[in-house]
Amino acid sequence: MRTGAINATSRTQSSIAVSTDNRRWVLFNTSPDIRAQLEAFPAILPRQGKRDTGIAAIIYMDSQIDHTTGLLMLREGCPHQIYCTDCVYEDLTTGFPIFRILDSWNGGIHRHRIDFDEPFTIDSIDGLRFIPVPLTSKAPPYSPHRNNPASGDNIGVIIEDIRNNKRVFYAPGLGMVEEHLLALMREADCLLVDGTFWREDEMTVAGVGNKPASAMGHLPQCGPGGMIEVLDQIQKPRKILIHINNTNPILDEDSPERAELTARNIEVAYDGMELEFSR
């Protein structure tokens, strides 16, 4: 990609932001690339103080490094309103204690607990309701319960506009699609789901590791039971893959893998992608 040998576009680490007024935003995850992402997105840049941003709240889907490290880059904007499960809170105060590190910056974080039986709203965000969904995946290597998976290690979130009942299902880390989850996905208007790997043994084939996709908590696209097969069962929503590893051949826009997705009406997320749901 860097030499122009393939038809591909550079991407930063996976993250999304949502808003109903284009002023106050809910940020999902804080990637290591957060500084570049904010600078590329004028709507979320400071509007008042020199260190102000449009970030009203942050929701964590898990406690993985690629979804959390950027919080350290936002330290001058503390205190931040953080929404996460107990499992994620434990990881980010022990195994990877960035919450504790930030205690010294303007009050650190204000944590709000995510419970699976309780949809929630955010005070400064009008018109949106967030419905957390437990997912089958993996806790990060530094988690105290890495070898004892728990509900709350990884979540999906249904983002619902209560003014028009439009729904987005967001799940950047998804190891298995169970029947109840498939039903929720069918009801959504748009899916933003795990596109990390094309194949189960991708890391080995690419020569950059030896862990299979499933051991890392990701459902590959191809093969029996893969994400393509899952999405083929779903008709209503717009289907978009997000959180794509740099080993995945779908990043090459001229690849047969990308052509297969296009033929099945499955899109690939890119930096700066905007989705608007009218009333």
Side-chain angles (χ1 to χ4, degrees):
M1 188 279 297
R2 294 188 180 106
T3 64
I6 62 172
N7 181 18
T9 302
S10 178
R11 286 164 170 79
T12 56
Q13 302 265 2
S14 173
S15 182
I16 68 169
V18 299
S19 178
T20 54
D21 61 8
N22 208 41
R23 292 177 54 252
R24 293 162 295 183
W25 295 82
V26 179
L27 182 64
F28 285 75
N29 299 325
T30 53
S31 90
D33 297 319
I34 187 67
R35 183 175 181 273
Q37 291 169 335
L38 295 181
E39 288 191 346
F41 186 39
I44 207 169
L45 291 177
R47 293 172 178 270
Q48 297 178 9
K50 291 181 179 179
R51 290 176 171 174
D52 177 39
T53 71
I55 300 171
I58 298 167
I59 296 177
Y60 281 121
M61 314 300 286
D62 54 48
S63 54
Q64 299 283 352
I65 281 180
D66 62 333
H67 283 165
T68 58
T69 310
L71 185 62
L72 297 175
M73 305 304 108
L74 299 176
R75 62 192 181 278
E76 305 294 356
C78 287
H80 290 291
Q81 306 299 318
I82 303 288
Y83 292 75
C84 65
T85 65
D86 284 344
C87 289
V88 169
Y89 184 73
E90 178 187 15
D91 290 347
L92 298 183
T93 53
T94 57
F96 182 38
I98 59 174
F99 287 171
R100 296 295 180 223
I101 292 171
L102 291 176
D103 282 345
S104 300
W105 273 271
N106 302 326
I109 69 159
H110 293 170
R111 187 256 174 151
H112 305 263
R113 180 179 178 180
I114 290 179
D115 291 313
F116 292 123
D117 57 348
E118 296 182 13
F120 63 93
T121 58
I122 295 173
D123 287 344
S124 57
I125 303 295
D126 296 329
L128 292 183
R129 184 170 72 137
F130 304 90
I131 306 169
V133 181
L135 301 179
T136 300
S137 190
K138 298 286 185 180
Y142 44 79
S143 172
H145 53 273
R146 166 68 172 179
N147 298 314
N148 184 27
S151 181
D153 284 335
N154 186 286
I155 66 171
V157 173
I158 297 169
I159 307 162
E160 181 181 33
D161 189 328
I162 59 178
R163 302 165 303 177
N164 58 20
N165 297 319
K166 298 289 187 180
R167 287 184 165 201
V168 173
F169 178 78
Y170 178 54
L174 183 55
M176 182 184 302
V177 179
E178 296 152 307
E179 192 59 38
H180 72 281
L181 191 59
L182 192 60
L184 293 174
M185 293 168 70
R186 286 194 178 107
E187 294 172 0
D189 296 282
C190 180
L191 304 176
L192 284 165
V193 292
D194 192 338
T196 307
F197 298 118
W198 177 258
R199 52 190 291 171
E200 173 71 1
D201 60 350
E202 188 167 311
M203 297 290 280
T204 301
V205 171
V208 295
N210 54 22
K211 290 183 179 180
S214 56
M216 301 171 69
H218 298 289
L219 182 66
Q221 276 105 67
C222 75
M227 187 63 77
I228 290 176
E229 188 174 287
V230 169
L231 295 180
D232 277 348
Q233 304 175 54
I234 303 172
Q235 302 305 317
K236 176 187 174 183
R238 182 176 175 182
K239 307 165 190 177
I240 305 172
L241 298 177
I242 197 167
H243 193 276
I244 304 152
N245 203 54
N246 59 9
T247 57
N248 195 326
I250 65 174
L251 292 174
D252 180 351
E253 297 182 27
D254 296 330
S255 67
E257 292 86 359
R258 184 61 169 269
E260 182 173 353
L261 293 182
T262 301
R264 296 172 183 270
N265 292 317
I266 300 173
E267 302 174 60
V268 179
Y270 55 87
D271 281 25
M273 189 178 202
E274 295 186 12
L275 306 173
E276 185 173 346
F277 297 89
S278 57
R279 295 189 181 183

